[in-house]
Amino acid sequence: AQKVTQAQTEISVVEKEDVTLDCVYETRDTTYYLFWYKQPPSGELVFLIRRNSFDEQNEISGRYSWNFQKSTSSFNFTITASQVVDSAVYFCAPRTGGRRALTFGSGTRLQVQP
Amino acid sequence: ETGVTQSPTHLIKTRGQQVTLRCSSQSGHNTVSWYQQALGQGPQFIFQYYREEENGRGNFPPRFSGLQFPNYSSELNVNALELDDSALYLCASRGDRYEQYFGPGTRLTVT
């Protein structure tokens, strides 16, 4: 069985603060892919990043960075210098090699105040 | 924009009726998936089609069915609608690195 946990239901920050969104993915699979999606109020899911389970190198892309630690099953996503346009619900969504679908977490609602 | 389009945008149906939702996937993407997203929850996988064949299904009853056409567009059909079927239905086409590109969704309300 696999389990995706996004423990933070809602986060509120002031513009320009850094914010980290947590995700824990528990699985017995040794090979999997992890994705983060953003869903703004308009409703459309926007693909943000993809990581492999066999690649623990952390990366930075613009204001986004992600920290993947396989030993603790954590896959965290950080937005640096948040902006009001970052306000959305963020979903962590793993995909295992055998399944043909994404398993979405419950999501974290991020509110960035001006 | 992802290039994935869905129609209609909104739909209101009565319990017991049947509904068909449509999706055009991104050009060149031959794999399409459908998800159901209830209010306040994450999307739940319904099924996936690859080259006109269903090749994966989530925990949804048979009254949820689908089709994929040679141009890779797709349909989701739901028979005998129930109140709990009210949700946002999302279509996604798969890129070459397993990432999924979602359409804007169809909001279905069952009364």
Side-chain angles (χ1 to χ4, degrees):
Chain A
Q2 51 187 350
K3 185 179 179 182
V4 185
T5 303
Q6 292 185 257
Q8 303 154 307
T9 304
E10 195 161 339
I11 300 175
S12 182
V13 299
V14 177
E15 203 169 19
K16 297 185 182 178
E17 285 186 19
D18 298 346
V19 57
T20 295
L21 309 178
D22 300 332
C23 175
V24 174
Y25 177 47
E26 299 170 74
T27 180
R28 293 180 182 177
D29 295 320
T30 56
T31 302
Y32 49 89
Y33 302 92
L34 290 156
F35 301 84
W36 275 93
Y37 282 84
K38 170 184 177 181
Q39 189 172 40
S42 62
E44 188 164 345
L45 278 164
V46 178
F47 166 65
L48 296 176
I49 57 171
R50 168 196 185 273
R51 292 299 305 276
N52 310 324
S53 57
F54 43 87
D55 180 5
E56 291 199 42
Q57 182 177 0
N58 296 318
E59 297 180 18
I60 298 174
S61 175
R63 297 189 297 111
Y64 299 155
S65 61
W66 37 96
N67 183 329
F68 176 44
Q69 294 185 331
K70 193 171 183 178
S71 59
T72 56
S73 303
S74 67
F75 182 50
N76 299 331
F77 178 63
T78 297
I79 303 173
T80 302
S82 60
Q83 301 174 1
V84 173
V85 293
D86 295 328
S87 296
V89 179
Y90 289 80
F91 291 99
C92 170
R95 177 192 186 276
T96 58
R99 280 185 60 82
R100 302 183 183 281
L102 301 177
T103 300
F104 284 82
S106 54
T108 298
R109 180 176 299 278
L110 173 64
Q111 190 74 28
V112 181
Q113 306 287 348
Chain B
E1 290 195 3
T2 64
V4 179
T5 60
Q6 292 187 242
S7 62
T9 305
H10 295 89
L11 202 53
I12 299 175
K13 288 286 189 179
T14 304
R15 189 170 50 183
Q17 287 187 317
Q18 178 265 343
V19 68
T20 297
L21 310 181
R22 294 179 174 81
C23 170
S24 291
S25 60
Q26 192 172 110
S27 178
H29 289 182
N30 56 19
T31 303
V32 64
S33 301
W34 285 89
Y35 291 79
Q36 180 196 67
Q37 185 177 21
L39 200 61
Q41 299 182 21
Q44 299 292 315
F45 174 65
I46 302 175
F47 47 58
Q48 178 174 278
Y49 277 80
Y50 170 69
R51 293 188 175 180
E52 304 176 55
E53 296 286 333
E54 183 182 300
N55 71 346
R57 190 176 184 93
N59 189 27
F60 280 80
R63 60 189 185 83
F64 284 79
S65 63
L67 282 173
Q68 187 183 28
F69 301 99
N71 66 354
Y72 304 140
S73 64
S74 174
E75 286 182 356
L76 164 65
N77 299 291
V78 187
N79 294 323
L81 283 167
E82 301 176 358
L83 296 179
D84 285 348
D85 295 333
S86 295
L88 180 68
Y89 288 84
L90 296 159
C91 167
S93 68
R94 199 189 79 184
D96 56 7
R97 299 184 71 201
Y98 298 115
E99 71 277 20
Q100 304 224 3
Y101 296 99
F102 286 84
T106 294
R107 184 159 299 282
L108 173 65
T109 302
V110 182
T111 61

